[in-house]
Amino acid sequence: MSQMTFLTLQQEIAARARLDLNKSDQATLVKRWINQAQEEIWSKYDWPWALDREVVETRVDKTAGTVSVSAAGTAVTGSSTAFASTDVDSFIQFSSSKDWYKITAVGSSAALTLEKGYVGTSALSAGTYTIRKMFYNVSANVEKVLSIRQAVSPAKLTLIPFRKFDSLRPNPESTGNPTYWIPFGYDSSNRWTFTVYPFPSVAMNMEARFKKKVTDLSADTDVSKIPEKWHGTVLLDGGLYRALEYLRTTFEDKRSEIKNAQFLKGVEEMISDAEPDSDYHPVIQSKESHVGIETFLQLPDNYG
């Protein structure tokens, strides 16, 4: 079966379900059903064709120069500092306190703004500081990060839930080569956010491997990222069973249930087809000649 465009899928479903694509309400529903079927297939497995990778570049701490801030103030003035727009959303710690403050704006290389006022009872003048990148992001098209690794140590970073991490390291300070990554929801741009531990002591490229978000089909010429051999079977069945459910008027009408079962069976076949081969092949051996060695297939002792 060759690949099917979005329009071809619409026409096929409309023909089989006897719907009229010239009626805008029915055309809208058919388009929605196809995208819903695609989303359902996408969610069932970490498909090889849905995987991708990207590099996340870490940043080292900034400590150059000195800073001043008034009691309860949010405006920080620097001397011999190099504040930059990339410091927005990073955190700053002053020599007078263990507290961390989120940076919400950078006005110049010597001026930045804090999210909350400085908690010191008196002003800090010409104090030392640390600006640290606490959280990193991946692109907006990432549905789920599967793994992160860095080549400096080298190490595949170990995933640890943030609640467990917080119970072990309530106020993490260590720097070095990261060995753990801790997911922490989404940012305002709907991108995955995570932190690493220890915090990087050198700039490095971390490779994030992930599953991409599914992209809805919209233009008539669009083609699903699902491999074309499944277009006229599983993807089509997923849209068609929704159409039959829409047309169902009696409890005795089982067409949608039958088509849904066919769709789910097709998804199982897709998963079986997508699972990697371990390249393992059992070898037939005589039990007698391999005493004490466990084999998968054992033959009678008198086997030649």
Side-chain angles (χ1 to χ4, degrees), residues 121-156:
T121 55
S122 59
L124 173 67
S125 178
T128 57
Y129 71 97
T130 298
I131 291 179
R132 178 168 294 171
K133 177 79 170 173
M134 295 283 196
F135 298 98
Y136 293 90
N137 304 100
V138 289
S139 302
N141 71 324
V142 176
E143 177 183 289
K144 179 174 64 173
V145 177
L146 302 174
S147 68
I148 298 176
R149 62 181 186 172
Q150 50 91 352
V152 176
S153 300
K156 174 185 177 296

Side-chain angles (χ1 to χ4, degrees), residues 1-13 16 34 217 220-233 235-236:
M1 175 69 71
S2 61
Q3 70 178 16
M4 302 179 71
T5 65
F6 191 29
L7 178 59
T8 305
L9 286 166
Q10 295 172 56
Q11 293 170 335
E12 190 69 22
I13 290 173
R16 296 194 189 190
I34 294 170
L217 305 175
D220 286 343
T221 55
D222 283 351
V223 177
S224 175
K225 295 296 184 183
I226 294 171
E228 63 183 50
K229 66 180 178 180
W230 306 111
H231 288 183
T233 53
L235 181 56
L236 184 61

Side-chain angles (χ1 to χ4, degrees), residues 8-180:
T8 305
L9 286 166
Q10 295 172 56
Q11 293 170 335
E12 190 69 22
I13 290 173
R16 296 194 189 190
R18 303 185 187 283
L19 296 171
D20 188 354
L21 294 179
N22 292 318
K23 296 181 177 179
S24 60
D25 58 337
Q26 294 188 12
T28 299
L29 288 173
V30 171
K31 291 178 181 179
R32 183 190 305 163
W33 295 330
I34 294 170
N35 280 313
Q36 286 174 342
Q38 182 180 236
E39 289 171 5
E40 186 172 356
I41 293 170
W42 205 272
S43 68
K44 295 293 186 182
Y45 190 73
D46 292 335
W47 307 103
W49 32 267
L51 305 183
D52 207 342
R53 58 171 293 282
E54 69 180 33
V55 170
V56 178
E57 186 175 291
T58 68
R59 269 187 261 146
V60 296
D61 293 348
K62 278 187 179 180
T63 58
T66 59
V67 293
S68 300
V69 59
S70 62
T74 58
V76 177
T77 302
S79 174
S80 300
T81 53
F83 304 150
S85 59
T86 53
D87 294 327
V88 173
D89 291 334
S90 292
F91 289 75
I92 186 170
Q93 183 187 65
F94 303 107
S95 55
S96 57
S97 166
K98 285 287 187 180
D99 293 310
W100 289 92
Y101 299 83
K102 185 177 180 180
I103 299 170
T104 57
V106 173
S108 69
S109 62
L112 59 78
T113 304
L114 307 178
E115 180 182 41
K116 300 292 183 181
Y118 175 59
V119 297
T121 55
S122 59
L124 173 67
S125 178
T128 57
Y129 71 97
T130 298
I131 291 179
R132 178 168 294 171
K133 177 79 170 173
M134 295 283 196
F135 298 98
Y136 293 90
N137 304 100
V138 289
S139 302
N141 71 324
V142 176
E143 177 183 289
K144 179 174 64 173
V145 177
L146 302 174
S147 68
I148 298 176
R149 62 181 186 172
Q150 50 91 352
V152 176
S153 300
K156 174 185 177 296
L157 276 60
T158 301
L159 169 65
I160 180 171
F162 77 89
R163 290 186 179 88
K164 183 176 181 180
F165 180 76
D166 288 347
S167 66
L168 298 173
R169 300 279 182 179
N171 187 26
E173 296 281 340
S174 299
T175 59
N177 293 321
T179 55
Y180 296 94

